[in-house]
Amino acid sequence: MKKTLLSLFALLVATVSTKADEGMWTLYNLPQAVYEQMKAEGFSLTYNDLYYGDHAVKNAVVNFSGYCSGVVVSPNGLVFTNHHCGFEAIRSHSTVEHDYMLNGFYAKSYEEELPNENMFVSFMIDQQDITARMKKLGIDEVSLEKQAILIDSIQKVLNDSIKRIDKTLHVEVDPFYEGNSYYATTYQKFNDLRLVFTIPKSMGKFGGETDNWMWPRQTCDFSVFRIYADPKTNGPADYSENNVPYRPKHWAPISMEGYKEGDFSMTLGYPGSTNRYLSSYGIREMRDADNAPRAQVRGIKQEIMIRHMRADEAVRIKYDSKYAQSSNYWKNALGMNKCIDSIGIIQQKEDYERRIQAWMDKTGHFKGQLDFDQMKRDYEKSFIPSQTFTYLWESFGRTNEFCTRAFRVNYGMPLEGPENNPKKQYFVFKDNSEEWDEALDKEVFAALLKNYKEQVDTKYLPDFYKEIQTKFNNNYTAYVDYLYKKSFLMKSGKKIYPNKKSFKKDPGVQFGMQLIEAVFGLREEIKDAADAIEKQEKLLCAAKLRMEADLPHYSDANFTMRLSYGQVGGFELGGKPSGFYTTAESIVEKMKKADENVEYFAEPIMHELLSAKDFGQYTDPRSGKMQLCFLTNNDITGGNSGSPMFDGKGRLIGLAFDGNWDSLSSDINFDSRLARCIGVDIRFVIFMMDRWGQADRLLREMGLKK
Ligand code: ARG
């Protein structure tokens, strides 16, 4: 849709329609036609303001810990992201005694801000196209495995040279356009990231799993962190008491003016993965070999988790993030499959493939290369092993503590002890009992063992299933009890010597070994078909780019920074207009239903704050209401969570946090009538920081209070 619009642009400058604007654009090479379209829709900054110079909009946007996005909002390195992006940090600082998850947290001074292990933000410094160089090295001619090696080695060369100039920088090389292009991106990464402010989960995750992926929405999905830097250089430094708040080149100005329907809106962030170029065969595989088994296994696991979590508050704290994580893409998988069918996406793709075929027949392009029949055969070959792989990974890959340890001890776990004496080196599992619960862990494990057997072909069953049958009479619980009791894997603190004979005899080690063999077996089985599929999908993308050479095309998401632009506005929801914002009244109404659904529970203080007669400066001047969440047609996906939503002047009006149920297939096909980005209104964020948090020092820092 978008692309036709753009091609007409030259003719229709003044009358460009305000239809949905599909696309996740890289910034350094943003097509001029896209920028012109943005301008026509109300963007008032210059082309260079986006990417070039110290005050470029991009300089305020961060990759948040590799899985989310965020935005710098003050001269002292304050960062806004979503509550669900800060969730694990908040959870890890919570105990039954001081439960920041339930009660919220506000650091009243810099000293009280809480450091977080293994978290970071990174800034994109620069991006360049290195396709020519990669092609010269033969990237197009080698297998997937060798491509990965080649990419690694180039990355290393680029890193060596950038680090000679500035050792705080690093380079990542990523394929774009299905491997038809390669870009090198330079980042600066800060590891000292501290939690500054969060509201109670009742608001940060209001509506919980019930409302997740849904509109209308009232979730106040934000949390606040701060970047700390080396006191001498203002550059990245590992955590130290002596570090000081980072002074960024640029931060996003916050607008308290809001938006109206049709207003320009833009997101910048780090979308993780889309498959918009994927063939109809690939979509079928995704539906039936990825999404369906993922939803099936997680459904079983989550039922057990939630039962244990509801029974015991300590277990709830341990599993809060694990459950949310699992449930998020469980619901996504169900919703996506529903949309693939209801929208008829496979048929649409098949039609498109027929057009490509006709174009190839006519022009002779890609003749003897792109072959849809071959693609179909390769997907058929890989279908069963791919589906089995999903079952295997969803059942045993990090779903319970035992399996996690069984995998690790066999694969990639670092040894401890004297480096010069391999015989005395050992593995040791630290006591991490605050992370998991034995009864829950065992029940999940037993249920998933049983389910795996029921779902996959017997030829894929590891040998331990024979033992379960002969020695345990197919009693999975008894087998799991036996493993926990007999294996040294569950003896935290015990030194495990891989060189001793007893190592290989341990039932847990054997169990893990067999799982790994199963993984490698499946990989081997899929390898040739996967290589062939990759080549064909790459050609299909190249053919599309060639056939539509007069139009700008964006690449699929790959965790690099992207811009998406469009407008504020709703969609049709069951034949009725969805509306494009929610109000304080609507959250109070839901809160009153908390006895029907605990996920609508909120503390009395929240009822009180949101039932106010007068919201003062937080009232929207047009609607006269306090607005909470809003919709735009910005093109986002997982990874974009926490992305700043800017108005036409480049001012912050919201934080993107979700997509809508009606367009969960947008990762493979952006349907402009349905696909919406759900954001939390920045005025709701500031309202909560002000009225609930009384976080005056932070509001002053952002220039919002004197
Ligand atoms: N669906 C949103 C995302 O993927 C929010 C996920 C967290 N919320 C939740 N209720 N599990 O970014």
Side-chain angles (χ1 to χ4, degrees), residues 199-208 211 216-221 581-594 597 599-612 615 625-629 657 680 684 687-688:
I199 51 176
K201 178 181 154 190
S202 64
M203 296 301 293
K205 203 182 165 198
F206 182 80
D211 282 7
R217 197 65 165 277
Q218 293 82 8
T219 316
C220 196
D221 202 343
Y581 63 87
T582 53
T583 62
E585 285 141 31
S586 73
I587 197 173
V588 174
E589 239 169 77
K590 275 192 181 171
M591 285 172 175
K592 287 185 185 150
K593 294 191 191 137
N597 185 345
E599 298 194 303
Y600 294 141
F601 164 83
E603 299 77 6
I605 174 75
M606 302 301 178
H607 284 249
E608 199 181 302
L609 284 172
L610 287 150
S611 311
F615 289 95
K625 307 268 184 202
M626 165 83 199
Q627 296 181 191
L628 309 184
C629 294
F657 72 92
V680 52
F684 187 19
F687 171 83
M688 289 305 291

Side-chain angles (χ1 to χ4, degrees), residues 67-68 82-85 87 204-214 217 219 221 320-321 323-329 332 599 636-642 656-659 664:
Y67 49 75
C68 276
N82 288 151
H83 183 269
H84 77 264
C85 300
F87 202 84
K205 203 182 165 198
F206 182 80
E209 304 312 325
T210 311
D211 282 7
N212 191 20
W213 301 113
M214 296 289 186
R217 197 65 165 277
T219 316
D221 202 343
D320 238 351
S321 344
Y323 185 85
Q325 238 182 43
S326 174
S327 160
N328 193 27
Y329 275 83
N332 180 288
E599 298 194 303
I636 62 158
T637 188
N640 266 118
S641 287
F657 72 92
D658 211 357
L664 281 190

Side-chain angles (χ1 to χ4, degrees), residues 2 53 55 103 127 157 173 217 307 319 354 362 381 417 448 459 479 578 593 677-678:
K2 173 64 198 161
H55 294 287
N103 304 325
Q127 194 162 53
V157 172
V173 172
R217 197 65 165 277
R307 186 157 33 77
Y319 282 85
R354 276 191 284 274
K362 201 172 100 198
K381 254 188 246 160
L448 297 189
K459 79 172 192 201
Y479 175 63
S578 66
K593 294 191 191 137
C677 158
I678 308 179

